[in-house]
Amino acid sequence: MLAFVDEQEILDFRAHCAATGKSPQDVAGVACEWEGEGVLHFHQKRPLHGYGKESPCLFTDDCAALEDPVCIEKYGYIVVVAEKTVAAFAQYPKDSAVRKECVWQNIDLQYIPSRENLYSRSQGILEVGALAAKRVAIVGLGSFGSQIAIELAKAGIGEFSLLDFDRVELHNLMRHTCGINDLGRLKTDALYDAILGKNPYAKVDKFPVDINQNLKLLDQEVSRADLVICATDNNKSRFNLNEAVVRNRKVCLYGRANTRAAGGDVFRYVPDGPCYNCLLGNAWYDAESEEITNVESARHNGQIAAYVSAEDAAAKVQVGLSADIAPICNMMVKIALVELSRGIDSGISSLEHELVYDYYMWANRRENRFENWSAMPGAGAKPTILRWYGCRIQKLEGCAQCGKSGFAELDEGDDVEEMLKKISSC
Amino acid sequence: MFEGLFSLLSSHSDDDDDDECAGPPPARIQQEIAVLQKKNVPEHAYHFFLDEKKPYVVFAARTKKRVYTLRIELSGFPNNVPKVFVTKMLKDKYGEKLDSADGSMHVLESEHGWTRICHYGDASWTPNVSLYKIYVKCCLWLNMYELHLETGNDIEYYLNHQK
Ligand SMILES: [Zn+2]
């Protein structure tokens, strides 16, 4: 039998005993057993979403509990926490011959690592202690946001702010980190569990709201964050978020996939640098080829115009493979970790010399806008397939979002004026 | 000649709507007005209603035949594509109301009983677009609409013809 106990809970239990000086200090906890798999997890508090078969388990610092007939009646398991050691006991089955001699059998115990030890393996590459104090706001928890959230949790980011009003739906599942069991749940709730499943010490704040209707909240969450991930699927929310990150001077990473995830791109905003609106006028950026994954939300956001028939709208939904968006998510995670580790000496800091660009493009296949991209052999410095291509973006003169307030260079529509003149003379 | 029209329009209110966001900041409004002045749009041809719960601006748009009123809603502008209405229900050459989304006529689902013009798609929108440009685009639409009434060709036809 494999049994696990949470090291942090044991440390807290001992600290509590020491602080109160009370002995014995008993806690009625729970044992979660993956039935038929011979695996047990002991917890002092019932996990938020219980799993496996649950049965009562006593945590005590007094091994006299093993002799106590009330405990034998009440608990299937006892965890004895001594000053230096922890031992776990399970009752022999009632029909077991051994039970006449002895009710409890000692079982081997392993630790679920404590806060301090959870990320010890990343130490050296990442400065884990520093990352635990960092807060990341993730706007949009679809296939991009969910993957990024979990990767950042695995890297040891300590605080999250999750913003998405959507629920886990069948059409999300293939590329989403959530599974069938999460169908119908708010994405913020499902991701909350998933993040804590990787890092039980993470602090996760959930905001199941439409940011376009809650700009004050958006501003508040941006201001509290050390870094912002923009993983929404429409420009309306990107512009609202862009305005907030510019105002609050926060690094923000924007990522998206092109149609059928033939490729995708990542844009990094840093204070005083070009912003998302500056990017839009750039020749590299192709706003029209954005991947559309859901008709309903695309209609709501105006990506699919209301006059487009149901049939044509359905044809516009061309979703790529999860494997095709993974490289884009992964790039966003890397840039995020480098940005969050700035000024801290760690193994990942060397990437600061590589990740100097504002805009990164990736092509999965030679298709659509990537049709004419060179093949990898012989591409030289040119953009090619399956290799990141970085470029710098010019700040847009008179940008309405990152320029000085009141000094935007507005598009005065000289082109349409010409058309109007022509048609008026018809 | 537009005064009566404006007071009539300002009494209108609606409750549906997605965005609670306020209108554009004062500095942006000042810039928009500066563009309108530079382009010689007469002062009496537009009026901003900024103290409303959902701010908007009204423009008078003159074609060869008549004068229309355009209402541009400013909630969330300039981060969002603003909604633009001709403040009445227009009909096409065949007497059908222009009240539902139609690609060939470049109109969207109507609200408040008014025809709504589709003037910008989400992908091509940027916060640097001026209200003046939207106004000109909508004047263009109105001219094409009147040609449509004469010939039966749709707006899409004239747009393609222009290019
Ligand atoms: Zn900008």
Side-chain angles (χ1 to χ4, degrees), chain A residues 247-276:
Chain A
R247 183 170 45 240
N248 290 287
R249 300 184 60 79
K250 300 291 176 175
V251 176
C252 181
L253 307 180
Y254 299 79
R256 56 164 204 160
N258 298 119
T259 307
R260 287 218 304 160
D265 49 26
V266 178
F267 175 70
R268 179 192 60 177
Y269 168 74
V270 290
D272 301 319
C275 77
Y276 180 71

PDB file of all heavy atoms in Angstrom, chain A residues 247-276:
ATOM      1  N   ARG A 247      -1.712  52.056 -18.496  1.00  0.00           N
ATOM      2  CA  ARG A 247      -1.943  52.981 -17.380  1.00  0.00           C
ATOM      3  C   ARG A 247      -1.200  52.531 -16.120  1.00  0.00           C
ATOM      4  O   ARG A 247      -0.615  53.319 -15.405  1.00  0.00           O
ATOM      5  CB  ARG A 247      -3.446  53.073 -17.098  1.00  0.00           C
ATOM      6  CG  ARG A 247      -3.793  54.058 -15.998  1.00  0.00           C
ATOM      7  CD  ARG A 247      -5.292  54.324 -15.906  1.00  0.00           C
ATOM      8  NE  ARG A 247      -6.105  53.131 -15.984  1.00  0.00           N
ATOM      9  CZ  ARG A 247      -7.019  52.916 -16.911  1.00  0.00           C
ATOM     10  NH1 ARG A 247      -7.250  53.810 -17.841  1.00  0.00           N
ATOM     11  NH2 ARG A 247      -7.715  51.797 -16.912  1.00  0.00           N
ATOM     12  N   ASN A 248      -1.193  51.220 -15.874  1.00  0.00           N
ATOM     13  CA  ASN A 248      -0.578  50.703 -14.654  1.00  0.00           C
ATOM     14  C   ASN A 248       0.891  50.317 -14.832  1.00  0.00           C
ATOM     15  O   ASN A 248       1.504  49.794 -13.900  1.00  0.00           O
ATOM     16  CB  ASN A 248      -1.372  49.501 -14.128  1.00  0.00           C
ATOM     17  CG  ASN A 248      -2.714  49.900 -13.575  1.00  0.00           C
ATOM     18  OD1 ASN A 248      -2.795  50.494 -12.507  1.00  0.00           O
ATOM     19  ND2 ASN A 248      -3.783  49.620 -14.306  1.00  0.00           N
ATOM     20  N   ARG A 249       1.410  50.502 -16.035  1.00  0.00           N
ATOM     21  CA  ARG A 249       2.809  50.199 -16.326  1.00  0.00           C
ATOM     22  C   ARG A 249       3.172  48.763 -15.947  1.00  0.00           C
ATOM     23  O   ARG A 249       4.082  48.513 -15.161  1.00  0.00           O
ATOM     24  CB  ARG A 249       3.747  51.200 -15.630  1.00  0.00           C
ATOM     25  CG  ARG A 249       3.508  52.659 -16.052  1.00  0.00           C
ATOM     26  CD  ARG A 249       4.502  53.616 -15.417  1.00  0.00           C
ATOM     27  NE  ARG A 249       5.879  53.317 -15.768  1.00  0.00           N
ATOM     28  CZ  ARG A 249       6.456  53.640 -16.930  1.00  0.00           C
ATOM     29  NH1 ARG A 249       5.757  54.247 -17.858  1.00  0.00           N
ATOM     30  NH2 ARG A 249       7.713  53.337 -17.165  1.00  0.00           N
ATOM     31  N   LYS A 250       2.414  47.811 -16.514  1.00  0.00           N
ATOM     32  CA  LYS A 250       2.670  46.392 -16.248  1.00  0.00           C
ATOM     33  C   LYS A 250       3.070  45.675 -17.524  1.00  0.00           C
ATOM     34  O   LYS A 250       2.526  45.964 -18.600  1.00  0.00           O
ATOM     35  CB  LYS A 250       1.406  45.724 -15.703  1.00  0.00           C
ATOM     36  CG  LYS A 250       0.882  46.316 -14.420  1.00  0.00           C
ATOM     37  CD  LYS A 250       1.795  46.030 -13.248  1.00  0.00           C
ATOM     38  CE  LYS A 250       1.275  46.723 -12.004  1.00  0.00           C
ATOM     39  NZ  LYS A 250       2.030  46.408 -10.816  1.00  0.00           N
ATOM     40  N   VAL A 251       3.961  44.721 -17.383  1.00  0.00           N
ATOM     41  CA  VAL A 251       4.316  43.885 -18.533  1.00  0.00           C
ATOM     42  C   VAL A 251       3.105  43.018 -18.871  1.00  0.00           C
ATOM     43  O   VAL A 251       2.473  42.460 -17.970  1.00  0.00           O
ATOM     44  CB  VAL A 251       5.529  42.985 -18.198  1.00  0.00           C
ATOM     45  CG1 VAL A 251       5.836  42.046 -19.359  1.00  0.00           C
ATOM     46  CG2 VAL A 251       6.745  43.836 -17.869  1.00  0.00           C
ATOM     47  N   CYS A 252       2.788  42.932 -20.160  1.00  0.00           N
ATOM     48  CA  CYS A 252       1.641  42.109 -20.561  1.00  0.00           C
ATOM     49  C   CYS A 252       2.014  41.289 -21.793  1.00  0.00           C
ATOM     50  O   CYS A 252       2.647  41.798 -22.713  1.00  0.00           O
ATOM     51  CB  CYS A 252       0.441  43.007 -20.866  1.00  0.00           C
ATOM     52  SG  CYS A 252      -1.040  42.107 -21.343  1.00  0.00           S
ATOM     53  N   LEU A 253       1.628  40.015 -21.778  1.00  0.00           N
ATOM     54  CA  LEU A 253       1.897  39.147 -22.927  1.00  0.00           C
ATOM     55  C   LEU A 253       0.590  38.795 -23.613  1.00  0.00           C
ATOM     56  O   LEU A 253      -0.348  38.335 -22.959  1.00  0.00           O
ATOM     57  CB  LEU A 253       2.600  37.861 -22.475  1.00  0.00           C
ATOM     58  CG  LEU A 253       3.863  38.040 -21.635  1.00  0.00           C
ATOM     59  CD1 LEU A 253       4.432  36.682 -21.267  1.00  0.00           C
ATOM     60  CD2 LEU A 253       4.902  38.866 -22.395  1.00  0.00           C
ATOM     61  N   TYR A 254       0.548  39.039 -24.918  1.00  0.00           N
ATOM     62  CA  TYR A 254      -0.630  38.740 -25.725  1.00  0.00           C
ATOM     63  C   TYR A 254      -0.295  37.551 -26.611  1.00  0.00           C
ATOM     64  O   TYR A 254       0.735  37.560 -27.268  1.00  0.00           O
ATOM     65  CB  TYR A 254      -0.975  39.920 -26.630  1.00  0.00           C
ATOM     66  CG  TYR A 254      -1.298  41.212 -25.911  1.00  0.00           C
ATOM     67  CD1 TYR A 254      -0.286  42.022 -25.400  1.00  0.00           C
ATOM     68  CD2 TYR A 254      -2.614  41.630 -25.746  1.00  0.00           C
ATOM     69  CE1 TYR A 254      -0.588  43.205 -24.740  1.00  0.00           C
ATOM     70  CE2 TYR A 254      -2.913  42.823 -25.088  1.00  0.00           C
ATOM     71  CZ  TYR A 254      -1.892  43.598 -24.592  1.00  0.00           C
ATOM     72  OH  TYR A 254      -2.190  44.765 -23.948  1.00  0.00           O
ATOM     73  N   GLY A 255      -1.188  36.559 -26.622  1.00  0.00           N
ATOM     74  CA  GLY A 255      -0.925  35.424 -27.512  1.00  0.00           C
ATOM     75  C   GLY A 255      -2.179  35.022 -28.243  1.00  0.00           C
ATOM     76  O   GLY A 255      -3.281  35.217 -27.755  1.00  0.00           O
ATOM     77  N   ARG A 256      -2.012  34.478 -29.441  1.00  0.00           N
ATOM     78  CA  ARG A 256      -3.169  34.004 -30.198  1.00  0.00           C
ATOM     79  C   ARG A 256      -2.708  33.027 -31.269  1.00  0.00           C
ATOM     80  O   ARG A 256      -1.510  32.923 -31.567  1.00  0.00           O
ATOM     81  CB  ARG A 256      -3.921  35.158 -30.849  1.00  0.00           C
ATOM     82  CG  ARG A 256      -3.014  35.995 -31.730  1.00  0.00           C
ATOM     83  CD  ARG A 256      -3.732  36.904 -32.677  1.00  0.00           C
ATOM     84  NE  ARG A 256      -2.810  37.167 -33.780  1.00  0.00           N
ATOM     85  CZ  ARG A 256      -3.164  37.592 -34.982  1.00  0.00           C
ATOM     86  NH1 ARG A 256      -4.416  37.816 -35.254  1.00  0.00           N
ATOM     87  NH2 ARG A 256      -2.265  37.800 -35.921  1.00  0.00           N
ATOM     88  N   ALA A 257      -3.683  32.318 -31.818  1.00  0.00           N
ATOM     89  CA  ALA A 257      -3.390  31.399 -32.914  1.00  0.00           C
ATOM     90  C   ALA A 257      -4.039  31.941 -34.173  1.00  0.00           C
ATOM     91  O   ALA A 257      -5.036  32.645 -34.108  1.00  0.00           O
ATOM     92  CB  ALA A 257      -3.945  30.017 -32.606  1.00  0.00           C
ATOM     93  N   ASN A 258      -3.449  31.596 -35.321  1.00  0.00           N
ATOM     94  CA  ASN A 258      -4.079  31.954 -36.597  1.00  0.00           C
ATOM     95  C   ASN A 258      -5.056  30.848 -36.979  1.00  0.00           C
ATOM     96  O   ASN A 258      -5.122  29.812 -36.324  1.00  0.00           O
ATOM     97  CB  ASN A 258      -3.012  32.108 -37.687  1.00  0.00           C
ATOM     98  CG  ASN A 258      -2.039  33.224 -37.368  1.00  0.00           C
ATOM     99  OD1 ASN A 258      -0.853  33.001 -37.227  1.00  0.00           O
ATOM    100  ND2 ASN A 258      -2.553  34.417 -37.229  1.00  0.00           N
ATOM    101  N   THR A 259      -5.774  31.093 -38.060  1.00  0.00           N
ATOM    102  CA  THR A 259      -6.778  30.139 -38.525  1.00  0.00           C
ATOM    103  C   THR A 259      -6.217  28.714 -38.572  1.00  0.00           C
ATOM    104  O   THR A 259      -5.139  28.487 -39.111  1.00  0.00           O
ATOM    105  CB  THR A 259      -7.258  30.555 -39.934  1.00  0.00           C
ATOM    106  OG1 THR A 259      -7.660  31.922 -39.858  1.00  0.00           O
ATOM    107  CG2 THR A 259      -8.432  29.715 -40.391  1.00  0.00           C
ATOM    108  N   ARG A 260      -6.976  27.789 -38.013  1.00  0.00           N
ATOM    109  CA  ARG A 260      -6.614  26.367 -37.912  1.00  0.00           C
ATOM    110  C   ARG A 260      -5.272  26.168 -37.196  1.00  0.00           C
ATOM    111  O   ARG A 260      -4.591  25.167 -37.377  1.00  0.00           O
ATOM    112  CB  ARG A 260      -6.526  25.722 -39.305  1.00  0.00           C
ATOM    113  CG  ARG A 260      -7.921  25.527 -39.906  1.00  0.00           C
ATOM    114  CD  ARG A 260      -8.001  24.250 -40.657  1.00  0.00           C
ATOM    115  NE  ARG A 260      -7.002  24.102 -41.701  1.00  0.00           N
ATOM    116  CZ  ARG A 260      -6.655  22.943 -42.204  1.00  0.00           C
ATOM    117  NH1 ARG A 260      -7.208  21.835 -41.767  1.00  0.00           N
ATOM    118  NH2 ARG A 260      -5.752  22.889 -43.146  1.00  0.00           N
ATOM    119  N   ALA A 261      -4.909  27.177 -36.405  1.00  0.00           N
ATOM    120  CA  ALA A 261      -3.632  27.150 -35.693  1.00  0.00           C
ATOM    121  C   ALA A 261      -2.476  26.790 -36.626  1.00  0.00           C
ATOM    122  O   ALA A 261      -1.549  26.068 -36.265  1.00  0.00           O
ATOM    123  CB  ALA A 261      -3.684  26.219 -34.480  1.00  0.00           C
ATOM    124  N   ALA A 262      -2.539  27.315 -37.856  1.00  0.00           N
ATOM    125  CA  ALA A 262      -1.426  27.127 -38.800  1.00  0.00           C
ATOM    126  C   ALA A 262      -0.175  27.768 -38.222  1.00  0.00           C
ATOM    127  O   ALA A 262       0.946  27.430 -38.575  1.00  0.00           O
ATOM    128  CB  ALA A 262      -1.771  27.757 -40.139  1.00  0.00           C
ATOM    129  N   GLY A 263      -0.401  28.698 -37.314  1.00  0.00           N
ATOM    130  CA  GLY A 263       0.698  29.359 -36.619  1.00  0.00           C
ATOM    131  C   GLY A 263       0.114  30.257 -35.558  1.00  0.00           C
ATOM    132  O   GLY A 263      -1.072  30.142 -35.229  1.00  0.00           O
ATOM    133  N   GLY A 264       0.938  31.145 -35.059  1.00  0.00           N
ATOM    134  CA  GLY A 264       0.421  32.045 -34.040  1.00  0.00           C
ATOM    135  C   GLY A 264       1.467  33.074 -33.693  1.00  0.00           C
ATOM    136  O   GLY A 264       2.556  33.104 -34.298  1.00  0.00           O
ATOM    137  N   ASP A 265       1.138  33.933 -32.762  1.00  0.00           N
ATOM    138  CA  ASP A 265       2.103  34.945 -32.384  1.00  0.00           C
ATOM    139  C   ASP A 265       1.984  35.347 -30.924  1.00  0.00           C
ATOM    140  O   ASP A 265       0.984  35.066 -30.270  1.00  0.00           O
ATOM    141  CB  ASP A 265       2.009  36.172 -33.300  1.00  0.00           C
ATOM    142  CG  ASP A 265       0.580  36.678 -33.474  1.00  0.00           C
ATOM    143  OD1 ASP A 265      -0.244  36.448 -32.575  1.00  0.00           O
ATOM    144  OD2 ASP A 265       0.300  37.298 -34.506  1.00  0.00           O
ATOM    145  N   VAL A 266       3.061  35.955 -30.441  1.00  0.00           N
ATOM    146  CA  VAL A 266       3.116  36.429 -29.060  1.00  0.00           C
ATOM    147  C   VAL A 266       3.622  37.864 -29.110  1.00  0.00           C
ATOM    148  O   VAL A 266       4.608  38.161 -29.791  1.00  0.00           O
ATOM    149  CB  VAL A 266       4.094  35.575 -28.218  1.00  0.00           C
ATOM    150  CG1 VAL A 266       4.175  36.104 -26.799  1.00  0.00           C
ATOM    151  CG2 VAL A 266       3.678  34.107 -28.222  1.00  0.00           C
ATOM    152  N   PHE A 267       2.936  38.737 -28.411  1.00  0.00           N
ATOM    153  CA  PHE A 267       3.375  40.121 -28.343  1.00  0.00           C
ATOM    154  C   PHE A 267       3.650  40.466 -26.880  1.00  0.00           C
ATOM    155  O   PHE A 267       2.860  40.134 -26.006  1.00  0.00           O
ATOM    156  CB  PHE A 267       2.308  41.058 -28.918  1.00  0.00           C
ATOM    157  CG  PHE A 267       2.651  42.516 -28.761  1.00  0.00           C
ATOM    158  CD1 PHE A 267       3.689  43.080 -29.488  1.00  0.00           C
ATOM    159  CD2 PHE A 267       1.958  43.309 -27.868  1.00  0.00           C
ATOM    160  CE1 PHE A 267       4.025  44.416 -29.327  1.00  0.00           C
ATOM    161  CE2 PHE A 267       2.286  44.653 -27.701  1.00  0.00           C
ATOM    162  CZ  PHE A 267       3.323  45.205 -28.430  1.00  0.00           C
ATOM    163  N   ARG A 268       4.785  41.101 -26.650  1.00  0.00           N
ATOM    164  CA  ARG A 268       5.133  41.479 -25.279  1.00  0.00           C
ATOM    165  C   ARG A 268       5.086  42.996 -25.138  1.00  0.00           C
ATOM    166  O   ARG A 268       5.803  43.707 -25.837  1.00  0.00           O
ATOM    167  CB  ARG A 268       6.540  40.988 -24.943  1.00  0.00           C
ATOM    168  CG  ARG A 268       6.976  41.369 -23.529  1.00  0.00           C
ATOM    169  CD  ARG A 268       8.441  41.126 -23.335  1.00  0.00           C
ATOM    170  NE  ARG A 268       9.229  41.927 -24.273  1.00  0.00           N
ATOM    171  CZ  ARG A 268      10.557  41.966 -24.290  1.00  0.00           C
ATOM    172  NH1 ARG A 268      11.252  41.220 -23.458  1.00  0.00           N
ATOM    173  NH2 ARG A 268      11.202  42.718 -25.154  1.00  0.00           N
ATOM    174  N   TYR A 269       4.247  43.455 -24.229  1.00  0.00           N
ATOM    175  CA  TYR A 269       4.247  44.888 -23.932  1.00  0.00           C
ATOM    176  C   TYR A 269       5.094  45.118 -22.681  1.00  0.00           C
ATOM    177  O   TYR A 269       4.909  44.426 -21.676  1.00  0.00           O
ATOM    178  CB  TYR A 269       2.820  45.395 -23.677  1.00  0.00           C
ATOM    179  CG  TYR A 269       2.833  46.792 -23.079  1.00  0.00           C
ATOM    180  CD1 TYR A 269       3.148  47.900 -23.869  1.00  0.00           C
ATOM    181  CD2 TYR A 269       2.605  46.998 -21.718  1.00  0.00           C
ATOM    182  CE1 TYR A 269       3.227  49.165 -23.322  1.00  0.00           C
ATOM    183  CE2 TYR A 269       2.678  48.268 -21.161  1.00  0.00           C
ATOM    184  CZ  TYR A 269       2.993  49.348 -21.972  1.00  0.00           C
ATOM    185  OH  TYR A 269       3.080  50.601 -21.424  1.00  0.00           O
ATOM    186  N   VAL A 270       6.016  46.049 -22.755  1.00  0.00           N
ATOM    187  CA  VAL A 270       6.724  46.501 -21.553  1.00  0.00           C
ATOM    188  C   VAL A 270       6.512  48.011 -21.448  1.00  0.00           C
ATOM    189  O   VAL A 270       6.398  48.690 -22.470  1.00  0.00           O
ATOM    190  CB  VAL A 270       8.241  46.169 -21.577  1.00  0.00           C
ATOM    191  CG1 VAL A 270       8.481  44.683 -21.436  1.00  0.00           C
ATOM    192  CG2 VAL A 270       8.897  46.690 -22.846  1.00  0.00           C
ATOM    193  N   PRO A 271       6.409  48.538 -20.233  1.00  0.00           N
ATOM    194  CA  PRO A 271       6.138  49.965 -20.082  1.00  0.00           C
ATOM    195  C   PRO A 271       7.075  50.816 -20.941  1.00  0.00           C
ATOM    196  O   PRO A 271       8.272  50.526 -21.020  1.00  0.00           O
ATOM    197  CB  PRO A 271       6.376  50.212 -18.590  1.00  0.00           C
ATOM    198  CG  PRO A 271       6.075  48.895 -17.955  1.00  0.00           C
ATOM    199  CD  PRO A 271       6.536  47.862 -18.932  1.00  0.00           C
ATOM    200  N   ASP A 272       6.518  51.818 -21.595  1.00  0.00           N
ATOM    201  CA  ASP A 272       7.205  52.747 -22.492  1.00  0.00           C
ATOM    202  C   ASP A 272       7.533  52.146 -23.859  1.00  0.00           C
ATOM    203  O   ASP A 272       8.007  52.840 -24.747  1.00  0.00           O
ATOM    204  CB  ASP A 272       8.495  53.322 -21.867  1.00  0.00           C
ATOM    205  CG  ASP A 272       8.197  54.062 -20.565  1.00  0.00           C
ATOM    206  OD1 ASP A 272       7.181  54.773 -20.527  1.00  0.00           O
ATOM    207  OD2 ASP A 272       8.980  53.916 -19.598  1.00  0.00           O
ATOM    208  N   GLY A 273       7.281  50.859 -24.026  1.00  0.00           N
ATOM    209  CA  GLY A 273       7.508  50.228 -25.329  1.00  0.00           C
ATOM    210  C   GLY A 273       6.243  50.327 -26.170  1.00  0.00           C
ATOM    211  O   GLY A 273       5.256  50.913 -25.744  1.00  0.00           O
ATOM    212  N   PRO A 274       6.288  49.773 -27.398  1.00  0.00           N
ATOM    213  CA  PRO A 274       5.086  49.779 -28.224  1.00  0.00           C
ATOM    214  C   PRO A 274       3.981  48.941 -27.569  1.00  0.00           C
ATOM    215  O   PRO A 274       4.281  47.936 -26.916  1.00  0.00           O
ATOM    216  CB  PRO A 274       5.553  49.131 -29.534  1.00  0.00           C
ATOM    217  CG  PRO A 274       6.783  48.360 -29.171  1.00  0.00           C
ATOM    218  CD  PRO A 274       7.418  49.082 -28.035  1.00  0.00           C
ATOM    219  N   CYS A 275       2.729  49.371 -27.746  1.00  0.00           N
ATOM    220  CA  CYS A 275       1.622  48.643 -27.103  1.00  0.00           C
ATOM    221  C   CYS A 275       0.869  47.823 -28.150  1.00  0.00           C
ATOM    222  O   CYS A 275       1.216  47.836 -29.330  1.00  0.00           O
ATOM    223  CB  CYS A 275       0.691  49.623 -26.391  1.00  0.00           C
ATOM    224  SG  CYS A 275      -0.409  50.499 -27.518  1.00  0.00           S
ATOM    225  N   TYR A 276      -0.150  47.119 -27.702  1.00  0.00           N
ATOM    226  CA  TYR A 276      -0.912  46.256 -28.608  1.00  0.00           C
ATOM    227  C   TYR A 276      -1.504  47.047 -29.781  1.00  0.00           C
ATOM    228  O   TYR A 276      -1.546  46.568 -30.900  1.00  0.00           O
ATOM    229  CB  TYR A 276      -2.011  45.534 -27.816  1.00  0.00           C
ATOM    230  CG  TYR A 276      -2.843  44.624 -28.670  1.00  0.00           C
ATOM    231  CD1 TYR A 276      -2.327  43.440 -29.178  1.00  0.00           C
ATOM    232  CD2 TYR A 276      -4.156  44.961 -29.018  1.00  0.00           C
ATOM    233  CE1 TYR A 276      -3.077  42.614 -29.996  1.00  0.00           C
ATOM    234  CE2 TYR A 276      -4.915  44.148 -29.831  1.00  0.00           C
ATOM    235  CZ  TYR A 276      -4.374  42.971 -30.311  1.00  0.00           C
ATOM    236  OH  TYR A 276      -5.126  42.164 -31.121  1.00  0.00           O
TER     237      TYR A 276
END
